[in-house]
Amino acid sequence: MRKIQVQILLLFFISFQILFAQQPQKPNAVEIYNQIKKLNFLGSVLYVAAHPDDENTRMISYLANEMNARTGYLSLTRGDGGQNLIGPQLRELLGVIRTQELIEARKIDGGEQFFSRANDFGFSKNPNETLEIWDKDKVLADVVWTIRNFQPDIIINRFDHRSPGTTHGHHTSSAMLSVQSFKLTNDPKIYPEQLKYAAPWQVKRQFFNPSWWFYGSQEKFDAANKSKFTKLETGVYYTGIGKSNQEIAALSRSRHQSQGFGSTGVRGLETEYLELINGDTPKDRDNLFDGIDTSWNRVKNGKPVGDLVTSIIDKYNFSNPSASIPDLVKAYTMIQALDDTHWKNLKSTAIKNIIASCSGLYLEAVASEQEATPGSKINLNLEAINRCAVEMQLTSVTTLPDNKSTPQNSILKDNNDQKINLQIQLPDNIEYTQPYWLKEKATVGMYTVSNQQNIGVPDIIREVKVVFNIKINNVEIPFERTVVYKYNDGVKGEMYNFLDIVPEVTTSILEKVLIFRDTKSKMVPVKVRAGKDDVKGNLQLELPKSWNVSPKQIAFTLDKKGTEQIFYFEVTPPVNPEEVAAKSIAIVDNKRFDRDLTIIDFNHITKQMVLKPAESKCIRIDLKTSGDAIAYIMGAGDEVPESLTQMGYKVSVLKPEEITPEKLDSFGTVITGIRAYNTVNALANKQNILFNFVKSGKNMIVQYNTYGKLVTDKIAPYPLKLSNDRVTEENAKITFLAPNHPVLNTPNKITSKDFEGWTQEQGLYYPDEYDPAFTPIISSHDKGESAKNGALLVAPYGKGYYIYTGLSFFRELPEGVAGAYRLLSNIISLKQPIEAPKQDLKQ
């Protein structure tokens, strides 16, 4: 009976997390029982890979839920270099999204999440390149740091350290660094600065987690000799609710929405294999923890705790979980007396949660507003309710970070809700709410985190908390709660966010790249947002002396918090080409505010606030444009339409249902966004319309798509096959295959200089097979590789042109790469008769 109840617990908990990921958990009796069982297991496993979505969620779920092991996932990067299927956010903003997706995934599969400071700079073809761009020693130090803190008995690598060049360079690097760390973590001479906060630690065993794709096919994997592998039967079926471990893993993996990893759960027997690569061989090969003490006996004086917890499990009353509270409080007291700080801290947190759950003890601290500024006072509404017959007393509450204690001395009677109102004074120097790894200047390969203790922390570090000090059976237990903000949505009901600490004022230059094709001035809009009531100051737009800005400053007054106002500065560029940074500054009470606030808000993750320098790139560029209005068909999401508008084009973003001959008639060019043929199913039925558009004398530009899962095989009017070819070295030498082609000469003369300063990559997923009707325009390649000629293919079709390009315009244009603008202008101009191009567009 109990086994069935535990199975019900696990899946109920998972479904609850999915529906209410940001709300406080209210576990039922069966869930509590499983938490108590986990309290009695003192073993841990760390899974190591390179990116969000690299982790094997089936393995993590099995270890955490079936074996009850403390299970962590160390992702060396936050996935900043990937693509985004749900919005235009790229680079560090995408990293913020993928960080939260991992945190939500771990809530479902029961694992914990960690990171290194490595910056995902994009696809890398080998570990030598990866470790050259990353600071290898710092990333290795972060792996060692995570191991010393987490203290895993076992490490499992997702990737093979012995096969460089066969997969993403980040993948192999993660395995290589993990293997290297195995012999370092217990040496006090290695990274001794860490030992102020952590102790040396020796992992017992290290495994590689192979699967069929390491062998090339399922058939080859099935035929491989796996007699020396550890075998885990992970296809656990939970009869109580009719779901499998694989289905749990699919729910976890489906949190990676930005990467399009929605997964369907499967059922049936399933085996995972582990190859031992370091440490001692278990006598029972298929028992992962064989020979490792996972009981309380591993902790000095811990045996009595284990015995008591075993007794609590045996006597647990599913109809009345509160009956376990006296023994749980006794176990809590015994844990406080232990010398082993590692397990003491972990199990203290766990048992406090169990005590609160058994008693129905609900504790919450809610701010009256969602945002506050440093130095301000905020009103808090506290709620404390004990929903059981066990006597409890709320002795005091302590607010953080001011560490102010307020006596209460109130009895928490059964189901008698206690409401407390108090005010907290925020320090003047409290940190703004933002991802801590973005606070300091980063390099291409590494984030900077100066505070050693913060390294690897998965989430935003929030300082405003309330500690409820509760006395139970004469034992005072502190329960810490992070301050939240909640409100009622008329459709969704109770909604939660965290309290955010914001600057008094933030500013934003609305155009992140400003293109000046001549010396004519532009009106530049700058937005000001109030972080508190009654903000007065002066707004300035700072540019180098070669640029003229008028007026020098603009006075502003914002009466209410959250109020926004847009002001305009007239900017005149210099005569000669130049690239500079414009900075918007607000001066309030002689203090300088120079942060731009970005809000990231998706339903599947916690709302995020990112503060970046309030800057834009201003480019005085030698750019000629030619062409008519452009229809843009959005794919996975990008910012190319905004860049086209900056170039002077009239851009309309069309929905798939708007792709009709009549609608297209008013446009001269159609451009499909990145991965449109991977994500927009309706395009499969629109190809004839689009091809006829080209045939009539217009221009169609198709940006990159991945080579798998296309909505149609006929993405071009001629045969064209996509591949995995890419050029990851953004400064790879360019060879012009068709130097006299108009796309390199009209209206801008394209030279190799136009490919300087590209970011992250030149391009990706180039076609490697295409009809002779296509003219390949350029060629380049990464070091040691053959030439890749499919970056830009141009084919006449009827009276117009069809162009396919894998060049990463979606990255280069938002970064203000001048050459990308010039080349794209030439591609667009191909729809015009070469012998009589139209006059340049006016500003």
Side-chain angles (χ1 to χ4, degrees):
M1 176 64 181
R2 277 181 174 156
K3 183 174 183 181
I4 294 174
Q5 290 171 319
V6 171
Q7 293 164 349
I8 295 173
L9 139 75
L10 183 59
L11 273 297
F12 181 89
F13 177 74
I14 288 166
S15 61
F16 188 90
Q17 287 278 12
I18 293 171
L19 293 174
F20 305 101
Q22 297 179 40
Q23 297 189 7
Q25 301 306 304
K26 303 165 187 175
N28 61 30
V30 186
E31 292 174 324
I32 297 167
Y33 176 75
N34 196 57
Q35 292 173 9
I36 298 173
K37 284 189 65 178
K38 201 174 183 75
L39 188 65
N40 230 15
F41 191 92
L42 280 70
S44 53
V45 183
L46 183 65
Y47 202 89
V48 180
H51 309 108
D53 72 48
D54 282 346
E55 79 274 28
N56 183 345
T57 54
R58 299 181 185 190
M59 178 70 76
I60 290 174
S61 176
Y62 176 81
L63 294 169
N65 298 310
E66 179 68 10
M67 297 190 71
N68 283 323
R70 184 187 182 212
T71 307
Y73 174 45
L74 171 58
S75 173
L76 293 194
T77 76
R78 296 177 183 267
D80 327 79
Q83 285 83 51
N84 186 0
L85 288 179
I86 62 174
Q89 298 86 359
L90 293 174
R91 292 300 306 140
E92 68 273 11
L93 295 183
L94 177 58
V96 170
I97 293 171
R98 297 185 73 182
T99 292
Q100 291 301 312
E101 289 177 339
L102 268 184
I103 291 170
E104 295 300 325
R106 297 295 80 78
K107 290 178 183 178
I108 293 169
D109 59 35
E112 300 176 44
Q113 188 58 53
F114 305 97
F115 295 95
S116 82
R117 289 170 290 176
N119 192 335
D120 179 2
F121 56 83
F123 191 86
S124 176
K125 294 182 177 178
N126 61 75
N128 290 335
E129 180 195 42
T130 297
L131 297 174
E132 184 177 316
I133 296 175
W134 288 350
D135 187 323
K136 177 184 176 181
D137 185 66
K138 288 182 179 178
V139 182
L140 178 61
D142 291 355
V143 176
V144 171
W145 167 254
T146 303
I147 293 170
R148 285 173 170 173
N149 276 282
F150 189 75
Q151 296 188 11
D153 299 302
I154 294 162
I155 288 178
I156 301 175
N157 294 339
R158 183 52 167 157
F159 300 104
D160 189 357
H161 64 289
R162 300 157 297 194
S163 55
T166 60
T167 182
H168 197 318
H170 296 181
H171 292 170
T172 311
S173 295
S174 71
M176 292 170 63
L177 293 173
S178 178
V179 170
Q180 188 175 350
S181 71
F182 187 84
K183 296 180 180 179
L184 302 179
T185 55
N186 203 31
D187 187 345
K189 296 178 182 178
I190 301 298
Y191 308 119
E193 69 279 1
Q194 298 178 0
L195 302 183
K196 182 178 179 181
Y197 311 105
W201 179 255
Q202 183 57 61
V203 178
K204 306 297 190 302
R205 297 176 188 130
Q206 187 173 45
F207 295 89
F208 161 51
N209 179 201
S211 62
W212 69 264
W213 44 279
F214 289 100
Y215 286 77
S217 69
Q218 185 66 51
E219 291 75 18
K220 291 181 180 179
F221 186 52
D222 291 341
N225 181 4
K226 298 185 282 290
S227 61
K228 295 184 178 180
F229 288 0
T230 291
K231 184 171 61 174
L232 301 177
E233 300 300 338
T234 58
V236 181
Y237 177 56
Y238 298 94
T239 57
I241 54 158
K243 286 189 178 180
S244 66
N245 184 67
Q246 301 98 311
E247 289 169 317
I248 298 169
L251 293 172
S252 172
R253 189 155 183 78
S254 295
R255 294 298 89 193
H256 297 294
Q257 292 184 17
S258 68
Q259 304 307 295
F261 280 139
S263 299
T264 300
V266 297
R267 292 142 294 280
L269 298 174
E270 182 180 71
T271 304
E272 287 282 348
Y273 294 93
L274 299 175
E275 178 188 358
L276 184 70
I277 54 177
N278 267 315
D280 64 304
T281 302
K283 292 180 180 178
D284 179 356
R285 187 178 297 277
D286 295 336
N287 181 354
L288 198 62
F289 284 95
D290 185 51
I292 299 173
D293 190 352
T294 59
S295 73
W296 279 95
N297 294 337
R298 74 183 299 172
V299 176
K300 183 181 178 182
N301 299 322
K303 186 178 184 301
V305 178
D307 292 341
L308 180 55
V309 174
T310 298
S311 174
I312 294 170
I313 293 170
D314 291 340
K315 296 187 298 183
Y316 183 75
N317 186 340
F318 285 91
S319 299
N320 181 24
S322 65
S324 298
I325 292 176
D327 281 342
L328 286 168
V329 171
K330 182 179 179 182
Y332 170 81
T333 304
M334 294 167 66
I335 292 172
Q336 304 318 297
L338 297 175
D339 295 329
D340 186 317
T341 57
H342 176 73
W343 287 110
K344 174 182 175 178
N345 292 337
L346 290 173
K347 297 303 183 180
S348 291
T349 299
I351 200 168
K352 284 194 293 184
N353 290 335
I354 294 168
I355 291 170
S357 297
C358 282
S359 61
L361 180 63
Y362 186 84
L363 305 169
E364 188 172 66
V366 179
S368 58
E369 297 183 79
Q370 206 257 310
E371 295 179 355
T373 55
S376 65
K377 293 181 179 179
I378 56 174
N379 296 316
L380 296 181
N381 300 311
L382 309 186
E383 179 181 2
I385 182 169
N386 166 31
R387 290 172 285 188
C388 76
V390 176
E391 184 174 311
M392 297 186 187
Q393 181 183 15
L394 175 62
T395 60
S396 64
V397 294
T398 304
T399 53
L400 302 173
D402 63 345
N403 204 32
K404 179 182 177 181
S405 181
T406 304
Q408 299 297 320
N409 296 317
S410 59
I411 301 299
L412 297 181
K413 296 180 181 179
D414 185 3
N415 211 31
N416 187 358
D417 204 3
Q418 298 280 325
K419 300 291 181 66
I420 304 165
N421 298 319
L422 58 81
Q423 197 174 68
I424 178 174
Q425 174 72 55
L426 297 180
D428 292 334
N429 62 347
I430 191 172
E431 295 276 0
Y432 298 136
T433 301
Q434 61 176 318
Y436 70 89
W437 60 94
L438 298 180
K439 290 181 181 179
E440 302 175 73
K441 187 175 179 60
T443 66
V444 173
M446 294 294 296
Y447 285 117
T448 302
V449 181
S450 298
N451 187 334
Q452 176 67 51
Q453 291 177 284
N454 289 349
I455 293 172
V457 174
D459 206 353
I460 289 171
I461 298 171
R462 300 180 185 274
E463 299 180 61
V464 187
K465 301 179 180 182
V466 172
V467 179
F468 296 80
N469 298 299
I470 308 288
K471 185 176 287 186
I472 309 173
N473 287 0
N474 292 318
V475 176
E476 187 166 277
I477 303 175
F479 294 88
E480 184 178 277
R481 297 293 184 265
T482 301
V483 172
V484 298
Y485 170 75
K486 69 177 182 179
Y487 61 97
N488 185 72
D489 182 279
V491 175
K492 300 177 181 178
E494 189 177 53
M495 301 294 292
Y496 278 78
N497 282 310
F498 287 105
L499 169 71
D500 287 332
I501 309 302
V502 301
E504 294 178 20
V505 61
T506 54
T507 70
S508 175
I509 305 173
L510 296 186
E511 302 290 348
K512 298 310 175 189
V513 177
L514 292 157
I515 301 295
F516 295 82
R517 296 186 299 141
D518 50 36
T519 58
K520 294 180 181 178
S521 62
K522 279 189 175 184
M523 299 304 293
V524 176
V526 180
K527 182 175 70 177
V528 182
R529 181 183 186 273
K532 67 175 186 177
D533 293 341
D534 192 23
V535 178
K536 298 179 181 179
N538 290 298
L539 180 64
Q540 301 173 358
L541 185 64
E542 295 184 352
L543 277 159
K545 292 181 179 180
S546 55
W547 295 67
N548 185 62
V549 180
S550 179
K552 297 300 181 184
Q553 64 181 24
I554 301 174
F556 65 87
T557 299
L558 301 173
D559 295 331
K560 295 293 182 180
K561 176 191 294 187
T563 302
E564 297 178 347
Q565 193 169 350
I566 296 176
F567 301 92
Y568 291 86
F569 292 88
E570 184 177 16
V571 175
T572 306
V575 174
N576 298 321
E578 188 177 2
E579 296 183 11
V580 299
K583 301 179 181 180
S584 57
I585 311 295
I587 307 297
V588 178
D589 296 330
N590 294 319
K591 291 190 292 185
R592 179 185 174 100
F593 293 91
D594 60 355
R595 299 287 100 178
D596 183 352
L597 173 64
T598 298
I599 299 295
I600 300 174
D601 195 5
F602 293 100
N603 289 334
H604 69 298
I605 60 175
T606 300
K607 187 176 82 168
Q608 300 293 291
M609 187 178 86
V610 181
L611 291 169
K612 299 169 61 179
E615 296 181 355
S616 284
K617 194 171 186 178
C618 289
I619 307 174
R620 170 67 176 95
I621 184 176
D622 179 15
L623 173 66
K624 301 179 180 65
T625 57
S626 173
D628 298 323
I630 295 173
Y632 199 90
I633 302 168
M634 194 64 74
D638 57 61
E639 297 179 339
V640 173
E642 292 87 340
S643 300
L644 292 167
T645 301
Q646 273 292 315
M647 295 170 69
Y649 293 107
K650 182 180 179 181
V651 183
S652 298
V653 177
L654 297 188
K655 298 178 181 178
E657 60 268 22
E658 295 179 302
I659 304 173
T660 65
E662 296 76 18
K663 185 73 172 180
L664 294 180
D665 187 58
S666 60
F667 298 100
T669 299
V670 166
I671 301 178
T672 62
I674 62 172
R675 299 183 70 175
Y677 285 98
N678 298 125
T679 60
V680 184
N681 292 326
L683 282 178
N685 300 317
K686 299 292 184 179
Q687 290 302 84
N688 287 337
I689 296 173
L690 293 170
F691 294 160
N692 286 334
F693 171 83
V694 179
K695 189 181 292 186
S696 70
K698 306 295 182 68
N699 187 2
M700 181 177 179
I701 303 169
V702 178
Q703 296 183 85
Y704 97 93
N705 295 271
T706 61
Y707 64 92
K709 296 183 180 179
L710 294 166
V711 300
T712 175
D713 293 334
K714 297 181 179 179
I715 64 173
Y718 305 109
L720 179 135
K721 183 179 178 181
L722 304 183
S723 74
N724 196 32
D725 286 351
R726 62 177 78 205
V727 178
T728 62
E729 297 170 17
E730 57 268 26
N731 296 318
K733 181 181 177 181
I734 294 289
T735 299
F736 295 122
L737 301 175
N740 297 322
H741 196 282
V743 80
L744 295 177
N745 294 279
T746 304
N748 303 287
K749 178 65 176 178
I750 302 300
T751 69
S752 58
K753 187 176 181 181
D754 288 294
F755 289 89
E756 294 177 1
W758 284 49
T759 181
Q760 186 160 323
E761 63 212 351
Q762 277 188 2
L764 58 172
Y765 297 106
Y766 296 165
D768 62 350
E769 297 179 22
Y770 41 85
D771 192 87
F774 285 102
T775 299
I777 304 298
I778 63 174
S779 177
S780 65
H781 60 86
D782 290 327
K783 292 183 181 70
E785 294 195 355
S786 60
K788 305 294 185 290
N789 299 338
L792 179 57
L793 303 174
V794 180
Y797 184 68
K799 297 179 181 179
Y801 291 92
Y802 175 95
I803 302 97
Y804 188 93
T805 179
L807 292 171
S808 58
F809 286 111
F810 73 105
R811 295 196 190 278
E812 313 314 322
L813 298 177
E815 292 294 325
V817 177
Y821 282 91
R822 287 163 46 83
L823 179 57
L824 184 57
S825 173
N826 282 17
I827 296 172
I828 294 169
S829 78
L830 283 173
K831 71 184 181 63
Q832 299 298 324
I834 301 304
E835 65 275 11
K838 290 188 177 181
Q839 187 177 356
D840 286 356
L841 291 172
K842 295 181 179 180
Q843 291 285 338

